[in-house]
Amino acid sequence: MWKVAMSEEVAKALQSVVERVNQAAARRPKTLPAVPPRLVAVSKTKPPEMVVEAYKQGQRNFGENYVNELVDKASDPLILESCPEIKWHFIGHLQKNNVNKLLGVQNLFLVETIDSAKLADRVNSSWQRIRGASTQRLKVMVQVNTSGEQSKHGLPPEDTVNTVKHIVTQCPALHFSGLMTIGRYGYDLTLGPNPDFQMLLSRRQEVCDSLKLPMEDVELSMGMSTDFEHAVSVTPIWKLVTAI
């Protein structure tokens, strides 16, 4: 009985979020490319059974905040057996002493929280060693602290271009995929567009202009459960929301 109730709960929650994402995408200005947002379901503190249920509903991208929890989930026999195409995103603060442990995760798809050139160097060298003879590059995003809050991780906005340049030119084992921010919690949208989202949009423009990168190759990850609809409506982006 518990499994049936959980399955229904996960299915309803996921369907609700997907519908809200699609509705928000439909409200985008016609001047924006019609790129469907990618939904990353945050599965921290959730049991493997709930991940499997979301996977059965078609969800493939899952985000975890803590290295040890991601290691445990990614190696869980139930997930390994039931979710062969799962894509794990690491979305928490990454300490250098946890890099090797994180990069050993099976089906690791993307590290979203590179916040310094030194961390990029550590991840690059570790991935070169772990991948061995493989030429596969690890996808990474640069985390920007757009709100300037001391409680938030991420590099200062003015360091974005130089950090991305370092990754692109000095880290051959990494593939720069885009920019990520968490932003200030609880922003009142009646005051206008979220300044954190606008800041990330402007930093992407600077990165693309400075490094001659195609705009469509630099994705954005921004928005949480409380503000993802606004984030979807202002740009063709990745979405990061709690779905299970």
Side-chain angles (χ1 to χ4, degrees):
M1 188 66 181
W2 177 79
K3 285 192 66 176
V4 173
M6 181 184 67
S7 179
E8 293 177 351
E9 175 189 350
V10 172
K12 288 180 180 179
L14 191 58
Q15 181 181 4
S16 173
V17 171
V18 170
E19 288 177 354
R20 291 166 63 191
V21 167
N22 290 337
Q23 290 169 2
R27 295 194 294 269
R28 287 172 176 160
K30 300 303 181 184
T31 54
L32 292 178
V35 179
R38 178 182 292 146
L39 176 64
V40 178
V42 180
S43 51
K44 67 176 181 178
T45 74
K46 305 300 182 182
E49 290 82 3
M50 292 190 76
V51 174
V52 171
E53 289 301 328
Y55 186 93
K56 288 179 179 178
Q57 298 298 322
Q59 182 64 28
R60 292 294 181 267
N61 294 276
F62 293 84
E64 286 287 340
N65 291 65
Y66 305 108
V67 171
N68 288 337
E69 186 174 356
L70 174 53
V71 169
D72 290 343
K73 280 203 183 116
S75 60
D76 185 273
L78 180 63
I79 291 179
L80 288 174
E81 179 182 355
S82 306
C83 311
E85 298 178 356
I86 197 168
K87 297 178 180 179
W88 291 111
H89 298 237
F90 185 71
I91 58 175
H93 179 57
L94 179 58
Q95 297 177 317
K96 294 184 181 70
N97 61 340
N98 279 328
V99 167
N100 289 338
K101 185 183 295 186
L102 173 64
L103 299 193
V105 166
Q106 186 169 333
N107 293 322
L108 179 64
F109 181 72
L110 175 65
V111 178
E112 294 200 16
T113 50
I114 301 297
D115 59 6
S116 70
K118 289 184 177 179
L119 179 59
D121 287 337
R122 175 67 65 87
V123 173
N124 178 72
S125 61
S126 295
W127 186 248
Q128 285 178 319
R129 183 173 61 257
I130 289 172
R131 72 178 182 177
S134 171
T135 59
Q136 180 182 0
R137 293 189 294 165
L138 177 66
K139 294 181 179 180
V140 300
M141 293 183 119
V142 169
Q143 182 178 5
V144 183
N145 185 350
T146 53
S147 65
E149 296 171 273
Q150 291 187 352
S151 60
K152 295 285 196 321
H153 294 289
L155 52 80
E158 60 269 21
D159 292 346
T160 305
V161 172
N162 285 338
T163 304
V164 173
K165 182 179 180 180
H166 179 85
I167 293 172
V168 171
T169 61
Q170 304 298 320
C171 299
L174 305 183
H175 174 76
F176 170 68
S177 295
L179 305 176
M180 177 271 217
T181 192
I182 295 176
R184 189 179 300 275
Y185 180 78
Y187 176 75
D188 184 358
L189 290 175
T190 63
L191 301 176
N194 189 315
D196 290 314
F197 297 167
Q198 298 302 311
M199 170 72 75
L200 204 65
L201 282 164
S202 67
R203 294 303 169 183
R204 175 172 65 173
Q205 187 69 57
E206 290 179 4
V207 165
C208 292
D209 290 345
S210 300
L211 305 180
K212 310 301 180 187
L213 299 177
M215 187 78 71
E216 60 270 18
D217 290 346
V218 182
E219 300 178 350
L220 300 182
S221 175
M222 61 192 197
M224 300 296 284
S225 298
T226 57
D227 55 14
F228 70 87
E229 287 159 301
H230 173 57
V232 170
S233 68
V234 298
T235 181
I237 58 172
W238 276 41
K239 274 315 317 114
L240 180 62
V241 300
T242 302
I244 62 173

